[in-house]
Structures are given as C-alpha cells and as structure tokens.
Amino acid sequence: MKVIAFNGSPNKEGNTYHLIRHALDAIEKAGIKTEIIQIGGTNVHPCIACGKCLENKDMQCIQDNDMVNECIGKMIEADAIIIGTPTYFAGVTPEIKAFMDRAFLVGKANDDMFRQKLGAGLAAERRSGAVCAVDTINHYFIISGMFAAGSRYWNNAKGFMPGDVESDEEGIDTMRQLGENIAWFIKKISK
C-alpha cells in the first residue's frame, strides 16, 4: 500500500507542504508508505496537444525532458494520489496544471489506467479561493474514473507566509482527518 503526494508549491517547505505532511502523517500512522514529490518550482512543460500518447499507448508522454513520465510511473504504482497546491487566483499553480494535463491525458489514453484509485486535492490559501483550486484538482480525478477523498470540511487551510497554516487548527485537523480517511479507504479496498 502506498500514497504518492505531489507538492505544487514553489516553496518546497511552504504551507502546501505542511498540509500534505499532516495528511501523510496520519496515513503513515496507519502503516501505509508515503512519498512526496516536489512539482512546484520545477520546469514542467505544458501539454502540446500532439496526440502521441493516444497513438502510442505506452503509458508515457512523448515529452521526456522533465519529470512527468517519472511521476506517471509513481502514480501507476500508488493506491492513492494527493495533489497539493497553493491558491493562485482561485486556481492551481502552473506547474501542477501542466503536470495534471499531461499525466491524466496519458492515463485516459491508456485505458483509464488511474481508474478506481483514490485521489485527494488540497490547497493552502491566504484568504479565499482554495475551494476552486481543490475543485480543479478533483475534476482530473473524477474524469479519470477515480474516487475523490474528502475530510470533515473543505481540504484547505489558511496561511500566507511559510508555516502560517500551522496556526489554522481546523485546517490542520481537516488534513489529519483527510489522511485518516485515505488510510481507511485503502485498507478497505486492499482486503
């Protein structure tokens, strides 16, 4: 059993990282392996709409000069996928958007290879807009035939400067419960 998490923040240990870490701590407490991959701040190329993934059906994007194909491999192996982002104008970061466009198109092109996996989107926000960002991530999960994980409230927390989310007690508890829900789901389907 494994959960892979993608951090879309260019701040490697910023608020998004803290939220992911709280969810993963609860998952690890249940005995499930986890891994975080840093997407934000890296050079992730956007989809060029070449259609090669639909033609080749080799579980890869034709663009091989960034980390997306490596990430796709990790997504295939995972039971659950967490995608975290800071909120950019009520949306996701450009790196996460480019990553999701390519990874999930490859998944669709290869017989919905992420189908029946669990996905969880989460977002850090300064003041508002995170619900829209999480909704954007959930669209990719749902159109891929995945299950979207929730918590006790929206999967977000408030904070501006790196580490500020630690003061949002409800947000941190929401992440903990998100991790517990993911662990419960994975254990149920692995039986």
Side-chain angles (χ1 to χ4, degrees):
M1 296 180 288
K2 184 164 186 185
V3 176
I4 190 80
F6 297 99
N7 181 1
S9 175
N11 294 312
K12 187 175 181 179
E13 293 189 7
N15 289 319
T16 303
Y17 169 82
H18 285 268
L19 299 182
I20 291 169
R21 190 68 259 160
H22 282 287
L24 293 184
D25 286 347
I27 293 165
E28 290 168 1
K29 191 180 276 187
I32 298 169
K33 293 178 186 174
T34 68
E35 181 180 358
I36 299 176
I37 295 178
Q38 182 65 33
I39 298 285
T42 65
N43 192 12
V44 178
H45 304 291
C47 179
I48 58 172
C50 67
K52 290 293 184 186
C53 59
L54 298 163
E55 183 182 317
N56 295 341
K57 298 190 179 299
D58 61 359
M59 297 186 282
Q60 300 264 307
C61 176
I62 194 75
Q63 297 183 72
D64 61 1
N65 55 350
D66 63 16
M67 65 192 307
V68 172
N69 284 330
E70 177 187 342
C71 293
I72 291 170
K74 291 183 180 280
M75 292 167 72
I76 292 167
E77 295 171 3
D79 298 290
I81 300 163
I82 296 173
I83 298 176
T85 186
T87 303
Y88 279 24
F89 294 92
V92 299
T93 62
E95 298 95 336
I96 280 294
K97 177 72 166 82
F99 162 71
M100 292 189 306
D101 283 346
R102 288 175 52 209
F104 285 97
L105 183 56
V106 168
K108 294 297 290 175
N110 288 274
D111 300 318
D112 287 315
M113 67 185 180
F114 303 130
R115 186 173 168 263
Q116 297 179 342
K117 289 185 184 284
L118 183 63
L122 60 87
E125 65 182 354
R126 182 187 71 79
R127 185 165 176 81
S128 63
V131 172
C132 296
V134 171
D135 188 44
T136 295
I137 296 167
N138 285 341
H139 291 164
Y140 287 82
F141 297 146
I142 292 167
I143 201 164
S144 297
M146 296 172 63
F147 304 102
S151 183
R152 64 190 298 266
Y153 197 65
W154 303 113
N155 296 343
N156 69 330
K158 294 190 180 308
F160 182 56
M161 297 305 291
D164 282 354
V165 294
E166 295 295 335
S167 298
D168 182 353
E169 291 180 25
E170 183 179 8
I172 296 306
D173 189 54
T174 298
M175 295 304 121
R176 181 188 54 76
Q177 287 192 3
L178 175 64
E180 290 172 355
N181 289 350
I182 290 169
W184 179 88
F185 186 91
I186 290 172
K187 288 186 170 195
K188 286 291 184 188
I189 62 170
S190 69
K191 287 185 179 180

